[in-house]
Amino acid sequence: MSPEDEAGVYEIRIHGYPNSQEALALQAPIERLLCPDPDHAPPCEVPWSFTLSSAEGDSCALVLGVYTPGDQATQVAERVRTLVGEKHPVSVSEGEAEDWEELVEQYRFERGLRSERGGSEQ
């Protein structure tokens, strides 16, 4: 089974922000981490998207959704952990595709582009 066959939705949660504004401020640095050249030709190496989670009592978490194999999701989480430091715990878990419909669609669309560029995929 190839790594692409194992791809799925993963949620990388960056915990411990006192409010949504501070959590959202982390989006731009993470975007640059994942995509240093925003004008690159598709496909993205790791399709990604953001949302917020406030179901953590008095704190808020930024949730980074990625569509990738699990080992690569873990690598992305480590890169994010290095970026945010020890003050904000980072966790990774499997996500639900129906919660990340745009992310799944991006992956499918870009995979189609990849197939056209690289020949047929089985």
Side-chain angles (χ1 to χ4, degrees), residues 17-27 52 60-62:
Y17 290 91
N19 58 56
S20 60
Q21 194 171 10
E22 287 190 33
L24 290 171
L26 190 58
Q27 283 182 303
L52 288 173
C60 184
L62 181 65

Side-chain angles (χ1 to χ4, degrees), residues 56-99:
E56 300 181 24
D58 293 334
S59 66
C60 184
L62 181 65
V63 184
L64 168 63
V66 295
Y67 198 108
T68 191
D71 59 340
Q72 192 166 16
T74 301
Q75 291 172 8
V76 171
E78 287 301 320
R79 292 170 58 200
V80 169
R81 187 174 287 116
T82 299
L83 177 73
V84 301
E86 294 180 17
K87 183 178 177 183
H88 299 284
V90 175
S91 63
V92 62
S93 61
E94 289 185 35
E96 298 293 330
E98 58 269 6
D99 294 338

